[in-house]
Amino acid sequence: MSTEAVAESGKDRLFLLKVLGPVHVWALGVGIVLVGEYMGWNFSVGKGGALGSLIACWIIGLLYTCVAMIDSEVTSTVAAAGGQYTQAKHIIGPLMAFNVGLYLVMAYTMLEAADALIVGDLLTQLAEESGVTNFDARAFVVLTIAILAFMNYRGVLMTLSVNFLITAVAFIAIIVMFFGIQPWNEGVTIFHGDLLTGLPYGWIGVVAALQFGMWYYLGIEGTCQAAEEVRSAGRSIPLGTMSGMITLLIAASLTWFMASGLLPWEYLGQAVVPLYDTARMTGSPMLQTLLFVGTLFAAIASANGCINDASRAWFSMGRDRYMPTWFGAVHPRYRTPFRAIVFLIPIAVSFAFTGLLDQVITFSILSGLLGYTFMSINVIKFRRQWPLGVIDRGYVHPFHPIPALMLLTLCTATYFATYLGYGPQLLSIMVFYIIASIWFAMHRYKYVARGDQFTMTWPRPAGY
């Protein structure tokens, strides 16, 4: 049953609409992430070389497989907007829920800003190739965010249906390019034998590459934000999430194979749009055009999904009084969390205007990483408090607690990897979340009715 949106006193309560199926969940998860196959992942090449990046791709792929398995079980059981925030609220408590909600909002808002930056960089590169000088992409950055926010404002079904179409085009572009470069002609159309030079910085470089290896998959956990708006959470969330993870594993492997076989690792490690640059190396105008469109669509689909996910998390925190209840409103006609959508627009634009793509990506990665660390603890406590057979589950992930322990171990390694390259940023982000926690404990906790937070029909744990 859909959770009711908290309304202001005297007003009718409104519901988010249950209109989504597995294909929309796939479009949300893959749509957010696929841009990472087009750019961002390649910074891992600069840390560990091409082979180091491939190892990081597989290791982080294992991390995200654990994330997808854990999320599929807990979200299909706690089916409400807010995803991991709602899980924390029921399983651990208000302070953890506040932090997890903030992780989600910041991770997706920063990712949205990075996507808008990518759209601007891509249009700037096109302008330069066309002979246009003094091109200012900031207007297009704002326009991209504004149009996508308007779509999200008008309705989730239209938003994610569009996301499915443009995400499918971006994924098909990768497949077409793979066959277009004729990978079976090693030494003729692709040159791994000449370009793969081992591990230039040794195994410490591989560890450092883990941070940007996350870009291959960062955001797949966003499928949880659709939990309250799917017709069948027990079917749609696991199917959409796991099929999305399979899609990304395929796309990540093909992306690395093509780019590392046509671009020197020294260039690849700092390229802004590596797949588009790879297409340019083929000399095929058709592939160049296709990959330009694919890059643009991937960035737009990602920003679109991020607006959806960030607004659901912020909306959920508002209706539970973790944030002012004003944000917990549902539009009377479109049934969307419209105030949360509008509120987050200037935040995304302000970060996009910094122009610091790697810094914005790092903020998003670290916020996501903190959320993954929570997941490993959360699922262990979930299984202990409500063992199998005590409550109905939409999906049960296998091999528990191995995925949770593996996820915690890989998160720890990735923290170390981030510290190697972005130590000050890691520490400053941790300080930010500590200050936010203090603010919540001192100023907002008093508004949270802890007993009212537990909306499931399960046996209540101690403390509620």
Side-chain angles (χ1 to χ4, degrees):
M1 179 177 180
S2 177
T3 304
E4 293 182 338
V6 171
E8 296 177 43
S9 178
K11 294 185 179 180
D12 294 332
R13 291 182 176 182
L14 297 174
F15 297 83
L16 299 177
L17 294 176
K18 288 182 173 292
V19 293
L20 305 179
V23 69
H24 300 102
V25 176
W26 179 92
L28 178 59
V30 178
I32 289 176
V33 185
L34 198 63
V35 67
E37 269 61 36
Y38 279 86
M39 74 279 295
W41 68 270
N42 56 299
F43 294 141
S44 64
V45 176
K47 298 290 185 182
L51 286 176
S53 175
L54 178 62
I55 296 170
C57 171
W58 288 340
I59 292 174
I60 299 299
L62 181 59
L63 183 154
Y64 276 92
T65 300
C66 295
V67 166
M69 291 168 63
I70 291 169
D71 264 351
S72 293
E73 174 173 336
V74 186
T75 305
S76 63
T77 309
V78 189
Q84 294 86 357
Y85 152 77
T86 305
Q87 298 168 22
K89 182 182 73 172
H90 284 87
I91 299 169
I92 298 182
L95 182 58
M96 177 62 81
F98 169 78
N99 277 279
V100 171
L102 202 57
Y103 300 157
L104 292 168
V105 172
M106 297 309 295
Y108 292 124
T109 302
M110 296 303 102
L111 184 51
E112 176 191 343
D115 293 328
L117 273 171
I118 289 164
V119 171
D121 288 341
L122 193 62
L123 294 176
T124 299
Q125 185 167 336
L126 180 64
E128 291 174 353
E129 293 174 0
S130 303
V132 178
T133 57
N134 300 321
F135 179 80
D136 190 348
R138 287 179 294 181
F140 292 93
V141 169
V142 176
L143 189 62
T144 298
I145 293 175
I147 291 174
L148 295 178
F150 178 73
M151 286 177 55
N152 277 269
Y153 186 99
R154 290 295 298 269
V156 69
L157 182 61
M158 176 186 70
T159 298
L160 294 187
S161 295
V162 169
N163 237 42
F164 173 75
L165 292 175
I166 60 179
T167 300
V169 170
F171 178 67
I172 291 170
I174 294 175
I175 302 296
V176 171
M177 183 173 168
F178 176 74
F179 288 102
I181 65 173
Q182 302 177 19
W184 50 86
N185 286 334
E186 173 66 36
V188 178
T189 58
I190 199 160
F191 308 96
H192 288 108
D194 297 328
L195 295 175
L196 294 183
T197 56
L199 301 176
Y201 305 118
W203 285 99
I204 193 66
V206 175
V207 174
L210 293 177
Q211 175 193 356
F212 289 106
M214 291 179 66
W215 208 237
Y216 283 111
Y217 316 101
L218 180 67
I220 185 62
E221 72 281 359
T223 54
C224 296
Q225 300 302 318
E228 192 168 322
E229 294 164 279
V230 295
R231 292 185 291 268
S232 173
R235 175 175 178 268
S236 298
I237 296 297
L239 183 57
T241 302
M242 297 307 292
S243 62
M245 192 63 209
I246 293 169
T247 302
L248 294 172
L249 287 167
I250 294 170
S253 299
L254 296 183
T255 295
W256 178 89
F257 182 86
M258 293 184 293
S260 64
L262 285 169
L263 295 171
W265 75 269
E266 295 90 344
Y267 175 82
L268 182 59
Q270 50 83 42
V272 175
V273 282
L275 264 187
Y276 179 57
D277 289 344
T278 302
R280 292 169 62 192
M281 292 295 293
T282 67
S284 168
M286 187 275 287
L287 287 179
Q288 285 183 242
T289 302
L290 180 63
L291 267 292
F292 176 84
V293 172
T295 304
L296 189 63
F297 278 13
I300 291 172
S302 180
N304 197 25
C306 286
I307 293 171
N308 178 93
D309 285 357
S311 62
R312 266 60 182 178
W314 195 254
F315 155 78
S316 297
M317 294 173 74
R319 72 177 175 183
D320 291 335
R321 301 180 181 272
Y322 287 69
M323 290 294 173
T325 55
W326 187 83
F327 294 114
V330 176
H331 195 283
R333 179 179 178 185
Y334 304 124
R335 300 295 181 88
T336 56
F338 66 107
R339 289 176 182 168
I341 292 170
V342 173
F343 174 75
L344 294 173
I345 292 174
I347 298 175
V349 170
S350 63
F351 277 95
F353 271 23
T354 65
L356 303 172
L357 181 60
D358 63 333
Q359 301 292 332
V360 173
I361 288 175
T362 299
F363 199 138
S364 180
I365 286 173
L366 287 171
S367 297
L369 195 59
L370 287 165
Y372 307 148
T373 305
F374 148 76
M375 287 181 202
S376 58
I377 300 168
N378 185 60
V379 73
I380 291 173
K381 189 169 183 181
F382 179 58
R383 284 286 188 97
R384 286 180 178 174
Q385 290 185 158
W386 297 282
L388 295 182
V390 172
I391 60 174
D392 292 331
R393 286 168 163 83
Y395 169 81
V396 177
H397 79 273
F399 311 121
H400 180 79
I402 294 175
L405 298 176
M406 189 173 295
L407 176 58
L408 187 60
T409 301
L410 293 174
C411 283
T412 302
T414 310
Y415 283 121
F416 178 67
T418 305
Y419 181 78
L420 291 177
Y422 294 86
Q425 290 86 340
L426 173 61
L427 295 176
S428 63
I429 288 171
M430 297 300 290
V431 168
F432 167 78
Y433 284 118
I434 290 171
I435 292 173
S437 296
I438 295 172
W439 172 84
F440 173 75
M442 295 181 64
H443 297 286
R444 289 302 306 179
Y445 193 94
K446 61 186 176 183
Y447 297 107
V448 176
R450 181 172 170 83
D452 294 342
Q453 302 301 295
F454 199 91
T455 58
M456 306 302 296
T457 58
W458 311 336
R460 291 198 177 199
Y464 277 92

